Amino acid sequence: MLSWLFKKRGAAAAPKGPAPPSTAQKTAASAQQAAQQAAQQAAQQAARAAQAKADTQARQRDDALAQWQPRLQAALGDDAALLQAAIATPLLQIKLAAVQALEGEHALRQAEREFRQHDRRVHRIAKQRLEAAVALRDARVRAESLIDAAATLLAQPQIPLNHLVALDRDWQALGPALLDAAQRGRFADLRASLDDALRQRIELQQRVQRWTHDATQALAAWRAAGGPASPAAGAN
Protein backbone atom coordinates (compact mmCIF):
# COMPACT_ATOMS: atom_id res chain seq x y z
CA MET A 1 0.00 0.00 0.00
CA LEU A 2 2.77 2.40 0.89
CA SER A 3 4.78 1.46 -2.18
CA TRP A 4 1.82 2.23 -4.36
CA LEU A 5 1.42 5.64 -2.70
CA PHE A 6 5.08 6.50 -3.17
CA LYS A 7 4.90 5.53 -6.85
CA LYS A 8 1.86 7.74 -7.34
CA ARG A 9 3.55 10.71 -5.68
CA GLY A 10 6.72 10.11 -7.74
CA ALA A 11 4.73 10.06 -10.91
CA ALA A 12 2.98 13.26 -9.89
CA ALA A 13 6.32 14.96 -9.13
CA ALA A 14 7.99 13.98 -12.46
CA PRO A 15 8.45 16.89 -14.96
CA LYS A 16 6.09 17.14 -17.85
CA GLY A 17 7.33 16.90 -21.52
CA PRO A 18 6.90 19.64 -24.18
CA ALA A 19 3.36 20.53 -24.93
CA PRO A 20 2.16 19.68 -28.45
CA PRO A 21 1.90 22.66 -30.84
CA SER A 22 -1.30 24.50 -30.69
CA THR A 23 -3.62 25.05 -33.62
CA ALA A 24 -2.48 28.72 -33.94
CA GLN A 25 1.17 27.70 -34.17
CA LYS A 26 0.37 25.11 -36.83
CA THR A 27 -1.55 27.74 -38.79
CA ALA A 28 1.34 30.28 -38.58
CA ALA A 29 3.89 27.70 -39.73
CA SER A 30 1.71 26.71 -42.66
CA ALA A 31 1.23 30.32 -43.61
CA GLN A 32 4.99 30.99 -43.47
CA GLN A 33 5.71 27.97 -45.64
CA ALA A 34 3.07 29.04 -48.12
CA ALA A 35 4.56 32.55 -48.24
CA GLN A 36 8.02 31.16 -48.92
CA GLN A 37 6.69 28.98 -51.71
CA ALA A 38 4.79 31.91 -53.18
CA ALA A 39 7.93 34.08 -53.06
CA GLN A 40 9.97 31.38 -54.78
CA GLN A 41 7.33 30.98 -57.47
CA ALA A 42 7.19 34.76 -57.98
CA ALA A 43 10.99 34.94 -58.28
CA GLN A 44 10.99 32.12 -60.80
CA GLN A 45 8.24 33.78 -62.79
CA ALA A 46 10.12 37.10 -62.73
CA ALA A 47 13.31 35.38 -63.90
CA ARG A 48 11.43 33.66 -66.72
CA ALA A 49 9.82 36.95 -67.71
CA ALA A 50 13.17 38.76 -67.69
CA GLN A 51 14.75 36.02 -69.79
CA ALA A 52 11.86 36.11 -72.21
CA LYS A 53 12.19 39.89 -72.48
CA ALA A 54 15.93 39.62 -73.05
CA ASP A 55 15.37 36.97 -75.72
CA THR A 56 12.78 39.17 -77.40
CA GLN A 57 15.11 42.18 -77.35
CA ALA A 58 17.96 40.08 -78.73
CA ARG A 59 15.75 38.88 -81.58
CA GLN A 60 14.67 42.45 -82.25
CA ARG A 61 18.30 43.62 -82.33
CA ASP A 62 19.22 40.81 -84.67
CA ASP A 63 16.31 41.66 -86.95
CA ALA A 64 17.24 45.36 -86.89
CA LEU A 65 20.88 44.59 -87.64
CA ALA A 66 19.83 42.39 -90.52
CA GLN A 67 17.88 45.36 -91.91
CA TRP A 68 20.45 48.10 -91.24
CA GLN A 69 23.72 46.42 -92.11
CA PRO A 70 22.97 46.25 -95.85
CA ARG A 71 21.95 49.91 -95.77
CA LEU A 72 25.19 50.79 -94.02
CA GLN A 73 27.25 48.85 -96.55
CA ALA A 74 25.43 50.54 -99.42
CA ALA A 75 26.08 53.99 -97.90
CA LEU A 76 29.86 53.57 -97.57
CA GLY A 77 31.67 56.28 -99.52
CA ASP A 78 28.59 58.55 -99.51
CA ASP A 79 28.78 60.95 -96.56
CA ALA A 80 25.21 62.19 -97.02
CA ALA A 81 23.80 58.64 -96.96
CA LEU A 82 25.98 57.69 -93.98
CA LEU A 83 24.85 60.74 -92.02
CA GLN A 84 21.20 59.98 -92.81
CA ALA A 85 21.66 56.38 -91.64
CA ALA A 86 23.33 57.52 -88.42
CA ILE A 87 20.41 59.82 -87.63
CA ALA A 88 17.64 57.41 -88.63
CA THR A 89 18.78 54.14 -87.09
CA PRO A 90 17.80 53.27 -83.50
CA LEU A 91 20.85 51.02 -83.15
CA LEU A 92 23.90 52.49 -81.41
CA GLN A 93 26.14 50.01 -83.21
CA ILE A 94 25.01 51.29 -86.61
CA LYS A 95 25.23 54.94 -85.50
CA LEU A 96 28.84 54.51 -84.40
CA ALA A 97 29.79 52.62 -87.55
CA ALA A 98 28.18 55.24 -89.80
CA VAL A 99 29.90 58.17 -88.05
CA GLN A 100 33.25 56.37 -88.09
CA ALA A 101 32.88 55.89 -91.85
CA LEU A 102 32.31 59.62 -92.53
CA GLU A 103 35.21 61.24 -94.37
CA GLY A 104 34.31 64.82 -95.24
CA GLU A 105 34.79 67.66 -92.80
CA HIS A 106 31.36 69.12 -93.60
CA ALA A 107 29.54 65.85 -92.85
CA LEU A 108 31.52 65.36 -89.63
CA ARG A 109 30.63 68.88 -88.52
CA GLN A 110 26.95 68.12 -89.15
CA ALA A 111 27.22 64.87 -87.16
CA GLU A 112 28.92 66.68 -84.28
CA ARG A 113 26.07 69.18 -84.14
CA GLU A 114 23.35 66.54 -84.58
CA PHE A 115 24.45 64.30 -81.71
CA ARG A 116 25.68 67.03 -79.36
CA GLN A 117 22.58 66.91 -77.14
CA HIS A 118 22.05 63.14 -77.21
CA ASP A 119 23.93 59.93 -77.93
CA ARG A 120 27.06 61.05 -76.10
CA ARG A 121 29.20 58.18 -77.42
CA VAL A 122 28.27 59.01 -81.00
CA HIS A 123 28.93 62.72 -80.37
CA ARG A 124 32.35 61.95 -78.89
CA ILE A 125 33.34 59.92 -81.97
CA ALA A 126 32.04 62.63 -84.31
CA LYS A 127 33.94 65.34 -82.42
CA GLN A 128 37.19 63.36 -82.42
CA ARG A 129 36.95 62.65 -86.14
CA LEU A 130 36.08 66.29 -86.88
CA GLU A 131 39.13 67.51 -84.96
CA ALA A 132 41.29 65.00 -86.82
CA ALA A 133 39.89 66.16 -90.18
CA VAL A 134 40.57 69.82 -89.35
CA ALA A 135 44.11 68.97 -88.25
CA LEU A 136 44.63 67.04 -91.49
CA ARG A 137 43.42 69.95 -93.61
CA ASP A 138 45.54 72.49 -91.75
CA ALA A 139 48.63 70.29 -92.00
CA ARG A 140 48.24 69.83 -95.74
CA VAL A 141 47.68 73.54 -96.33
CA ARG A 142 50.79 74.29 -94.29
CA ALA A 143 52.69 71.61 -96.20
CA GLU A 144 51.90 73.33 -99.49
CA SER A 145 53.23 76.58 -98.05
CA LEU A 146 56.48 74.91 -96.99
CA ILE A 147 56.86 73.24 -100.38
CA ASP A 148 56.53 76.67 -102.03
CA ALA A 149 59.08 78.06 -99.56
CA ALA A 150 61.52 75.27 -100.45
CA ALA A 151 61.12 76.00 -104.16
CA THR A 152 61.69 79.72 -103.54
CA LEU A 153 64.78 78.97 -101.47
CA LEU A 154 66.16 76.75 -104.22
CA ALA A 155 65.83 79.59 -106.73
CA GLN A 156 67.88 82.00 -104.61
CA PRO A 157 71.56 82.57 -105.46
CA GLN A 158 72.45 82.02 -101.83
CA ILE A 159 70.83 79.51 -99.47
CA PRO A 160 70.99 80.78 -95.88
CA LEU A 161 71.59 77.86 -93.55
CA ASN A 162 69.25 79.27 -90.90
CA HIS A 163 66.43 79.28 -93.46
CA LEU A 164 67.16 75.67 -94.32
CA VAL A 165 67.14 74.66 -90.64
CA ALA A 166 63.83 76.46 -90.08
CA LEU A 167 62.34 74.75 -93.13
CA ASP A 168 63.27 71.30 -91.80
CA ARG A 169 61.96 72.12 -88.34
CA ASP A 170 58.60 73.36 -89.62
CA TRP A 171 58.20 70.33 -91.89
CA GLN A 172 58.84 67.88 -89.07
CA ALA A 173 56.36 69.74 -86.88
CA LEU A 174 53.57 68.94 -89.36
CA GLY A 175 53.70 65.21 -88.69
CA PRO A 176 54.41 63.14 -91.81
CA ALA A 177 51.42 60.88 -91.09
CA LEU A 178 49.05 63.79 -91.79
CA LEU A 179 50.41 64.39 -95.29
CA ASP A 180 49.67 62.51 -98.47
CA ALA A 181 52.33 60.64 -100.38
CA ALA A 182 52.47 63.24 -103.16
CA GLN A 183 53.30 66.05 -100.74
CA ARG A 184 55.96 63.99 -98.99
CA GLY A 185 57.50 63.10 -102.33
CA ARG A 186 57.57 66.70 -103.61
CA PHE A 187 59.18 68.00 -100.45
CA ALA A 188 61.73 65.18 -100.43
CA ASP A 189 62.73 66.00 -104.02
CA LEU A 190 63.05 69.72 -103.27
CA ARG A 191 64.99 69.02 -100.11
CA ALA A 192 67.43 66.79 -101.98
CA SER A 193 67.83 69.50 -104.64
CA LEU A 194 68.55 72.05 -101.91
CA ASP A 195 71.24 69.81 -100.47
CA ASP A 196 72.81 69.40 -103.92
CA ALA A 197 72.66 73.13 -104.63
CA LEU A 198 74.10 73.97 -101.24
CA ARG A 199 76.92 71.48 -101.70
CA GLN A 200 77.71 72.81 -105.18
CA ARG A 201 77.75 76.41 -103.99
CA ILE A 202 79.96 75.53 -101.03
CA GLU A 203 82.34 73.69 -103.37
CA LEU A 204 82.36 76.66 -105.77
CA GLN A 205 83.04 79.03 -102.91
CA GLN A 206 85.89 76.83 -101.73
CA ARG A 207 87.36 76.74 -105.26
CA VAL A 208 87.12 80.51 -105.53
CA GLN A 209 88.86 80.84 -102.20
CA ARG A 210 91.64 78.49 -103.35
CA TRP A 211 91.99 80.35 -106.66
CA THR A 212 92.17 83.65 -104.81
CA HIS A 213 94.73 82.27 -102.40
CA ASP A 214 96.82 80.78 -105.21
CA ALA A 215 96.61 84.01 -107.25
CA THR A 216 97.65 86.07 -104.25
CA GLN A 217 100.64 83.82 -103.61
CA ALA A 218 101.65 83.86 -107.28
CA LEU A 219 101.48 87.64 -107.41
CA ALA A 220 103.57 87.93 -104.27
CA ALA A 221 106.17 85.53 -105.69
CA TRP A 222 106.29 87.39 -109.00
CA ARG A 223 106.83 90.68 -107.22
CA ALA A 224 109.51 89.14 -105.05
CA ALA A 225 111.25 87.93 -108.21
CA GLY A 226 111.63 91.50 -109.51
CA GLY A 227 108.31 92.17 -111.13
CA PRO A 228 106.81 95.68 -110.91
CA ALA A 229 105.00 96.39 -107.64
CA SER A 230 102.12 97.94 -109.52
CA PRO A 231 101.06 98.80 -113.04
CA ALA A 232 102.07 102.43 -112.40
CA ALA A 233 105.58 101.43 -111.35
CA GLY A 234 105.91 99.33 -114.48
CA ALA A 235 104.95 102.33 -116.62
CA ASN A 236 107.77 104.47 -115.13
Side-chain angles (χ1 to χ4, degrees), residues 95-129:
K95 289 180 184 291
L96 291 172
V99 170
Q100 288 172 342
L102 292 174
E103 296 180 356
E105 185 178 332
H106 178 67
L108 287 167
R109 197 176 300 279
Q110 286 183 299
E112 192 276 333
R113 287 197 301 265
E114 174 67 30
F115 297 105
R116 186 178 300 170
Q117 302 301 327
H118 56 88
D119 292 321
R120 296 179 59 184
R121 289 179 58 185
V122 182
H123 173 257
R124 183 169 62 251
I125 295 297
K127 184 177 180 181
Q128 290 173 350
R129 287 185 53 78

Side-chain angles (χ1 to χ4, degrees), residues 141-189:
V141 170
R142 178 61 178 158
E144 289 297 324
S145 176
L146 292 177
I147 289 170
D148 291 342
T152 301
L153 194 60
L154 183 61
Q156 293 179 359
Q158 298 293 331
I159 302 176
L161 287 179
N162 59 332
H163 290 185
L164 197 58
V165 170
L167 181 68
D168 289 339
R169 183 185 63 247
D170 293 343
W171 183 264
Q172 291 300 322
L174 294 178
L178 295 176
L179 309 179
D180 60 32
Q183 286 181 317
R184 292 195 299 268
R186 288 162 58 201
F187 184 82
D189 291 342

Side-chain angles (χ1 to χ4, degrees), residues 52-133:
K53 182 178 180 181
D55 293 342
T56 300
Q57 291 175 343
R59 285 194 299 272
Q60 291 174 345
R61 285 195 301 269
D62 291 342
D63 292 342
L65 281 173
Q67 294 176 1
W68 278 100
Q69 283 179 339
R71 293 180 59 179
L72 180 63
Q73 291 294 326
L76 292 177
D78 185 345
D79 278 355
L82 285 169
L83 183 60
Q84 183 179 4
I87 294 173
T89 182
L91 298 175
L92 178 62
Q93 179 180 350
I94 298 297
K95 289 180 184 291
L96 291 172
V99 170
Q100 288 172 342
L102 292 174
E103 296 180 356
E105 185 178 332
H106 178 67
L108 287 167
R109 197 176 300 279
Q110 286 183 299
E112 192 276 333
R113 287 197 301 265
E114 174 67 30
F115 297 105
R116 186 178 300 170
Q117 302 301 327
H118 56 88
D119 292 321
R120 296 179 59 184
R121 289 179 58 185
V122 182
H123 173 257
R124 183 169 62 251
I125 295 297
K127 184 177 180 181
Q128 290 173 350
R129 287 185 53 78
L130 175 60
E131 291 172 350

Side-chain angles (χ1 to χ4, degrees), residues 31-48:
Q32 183 178 6
Q33 184 178 7
Q36 291 176 348
Q37 292 176 350
Q40 291 176 352
Q41 292 175 354
Q44 292 173 353
Q45 291 176 353
R48 287 194 295 269

